[in-house]
Amino acid sequence: FLLGGARRAGGLRTFDEVLEAALGPWARALTVWSVVITCFLTLVANSLLLRQLAAPLASQFVLGRPMARSEQVLLGSCLVLAVVPLTFMTTLNSLRHVSLLSVTSVVGLVGVLAYEGLSCPAPPESLTSNQSAVVVTGAPAPPAAADVISALPVFVCIFICSFSALPLDTELRKPSRRRMTTMVVGAFSIAFALYAVAGLAGIAYGRCTEQPVTSNVLAMFPKGDGLASLLRLLLSVVLLLSLPLICLPCRNMIHQLLHGCRLWCCSPVRSALSRLSP
């Protein structure tokens, strides 16, 4: 909200312009580099995850056999190339249909997961009574330093959407503080509800099948399960359609970076020519 107010007051359009006006050119350069690195690494991670999700689907429904590593790489490359034309879009408004389809896939993913958790039969009473008799003593072990470091990229990816907040504010019809606030609150509320339903459904399914709930909910489903394959398909669609949305701020910041490098390289030449001119 503060960045949106600063943008309207100063007539600025992007995240790095606001930070340059507030802190100076070094803040803009740092912001550009951080956005480029974060978005690029997120694109790489999503591409790898997409390949890992699509390979079992292709093996089960298309080939009928396990895929070799080269075939998995080829499949992932073909899927990424399929959405390359969408990366040439220059505004978020031009990608609104892609965003709508991605959100629809997320809602379907959460709906299937909730159905799987609610429709799972309850375990026998003898097993639940035996499990309730087990008493866990001692405090849980603290997480290792490596686990904390490996979890940092997950938290970083959550804030990628903040890079598109100001461009989204500029592309609103009749932009105002009230409309931006309503949109942000609505988006966060929907995301919170989806995360809560998915988490509760995963916990319910883990308790029903008497297995520990892992961070990867798909790992709890047996191989060949039809609903699990549907979950992998929906998640693959979400990851595939997220690539153009992540590529947009990354490309814009690369343009800013190249423009800044050109000015930095050309300024000594211009100053030398101005001295030589009569």
Side-chain angles (χ1 to χ4, degrees):
F1 302 110
L2 294 176
L3 291 175
R7 186 202 69 77
R8 296 186 189 92
L12 307 176
R13 297 181 59 86
T14 59
F15 195 72
D16 56 306
E17 290 179 355
V18 173
L19 290 180
E20 182 183 17
L23 301 175
W26 66 270
R28 180 173 188 175
L30 182 62
T31 302
V32 170
W33 276 106
S34 63
V35 172
V36 170
I37 293 174
T38 303
C39 292
F40 177 75
L41 294 179
T42 304
L43 288 172
V44 174
N46 284 9
S47 301
L48 294 176
L49 184 57
L50 175 64
R51 186 183 69 189
Q52 294 176 359
L53 290 171
L57 295 175
S59 300
Q60 181 179 358
F61 297 103
V62 180
L63 299 178
R65 59 173 177 83
M67 297 182 65
R69 185 174 180 83
S70 58
E71 294 176 338
Q72 295 180 10
V73 174
L74 179 61
L75 175 62
S77 302
C78 293
L79 291 175
V80 173
L81 289 176
V83 296
V84 165
L86 296 176
T87 61
F88 291 96
M89 300 295 181
T90 58
T91 61
L92 291 172
N93 185 44
S94 58
L95 293 172
R96 62 187 183 277
H97 300 295
V98 177
S99 303
L100 179 61
L101 183 57
S102 180
V103 173
T104 304
S105 301
V106 172
V107 174
L109 173 66
V110 175
V112 172
L113 184 58
Y115 172 79
E116 189 79 2
L118 294 176
S119 62
C120 180
E125 296 182 359
S126 59
L127 294 177
T128 56
S129 61
N130 292 335
Q131 289 179 353
S132 61
V134 178
V135 178
V136 180
T137 59
D147 296 335
V148 175
I149 295 176
S150 62
L152 288 178
V154 178
F155 292 97
V156 172
C157 293
I158 297 175
F159 295 97
I160 289 182
C161 60
S162 63
F163 303 146
S164 302
L166 294 184
L168 188 61
D169 188 21
T170 60
E171 295 180 21
L172 282 176
R173 298 177 181 176
K174 299 179 180 180
S176 63
R177 183 183 297 272
R178 182 177 180 180
R179 296 195 67 183
M180 188 65 180
T181 302
T182 303
M183 184 183 63
V184 171
V185 172
F188 274 90
S189 300
I190 294 173
F192 175 77
L194 292 175
Y195 273 110
V197 172
L200 294 176
I203 294 174
Y205 184 80
R207 291 180 176 178
C208 176
T209 56
E210 301 170 1
Q211 57 180 324
V213 180
T214 61
S215 57
N216 184 9
V217 181
L218 295 177
M220 299 191 301
F221 293 92
K223 294 182 179 180
D225 185 82
L227 288 179
S229 300
L230 181 58
L231 288 174
R232 292 186 179 92
L233 177 61
L234 292 174
L235 185 56
S236 300
V237 173
V238 174
L239 291 174
L240 186 63
L241 297 179
S242 68
L243 296 180
L245 298 173
I246 300 174
C247 184
L248 181 60
C250 183
R251 185 188 61 193
N252 292 338
M253 289 301 174
I254 289 178
H255 288 169
Q256 296 288 341
L257 183 62
L258 294 177
H259 180 68
C261 292
R262 185 183 64 179
L263 294 179
W264 181 77
C265 295
C266 295
S267 57
V269 178
R270 291 178 179 176
S271 60
L273 292 177
S274 62
R275 294 175 183 176
L276 293 176
S277 60

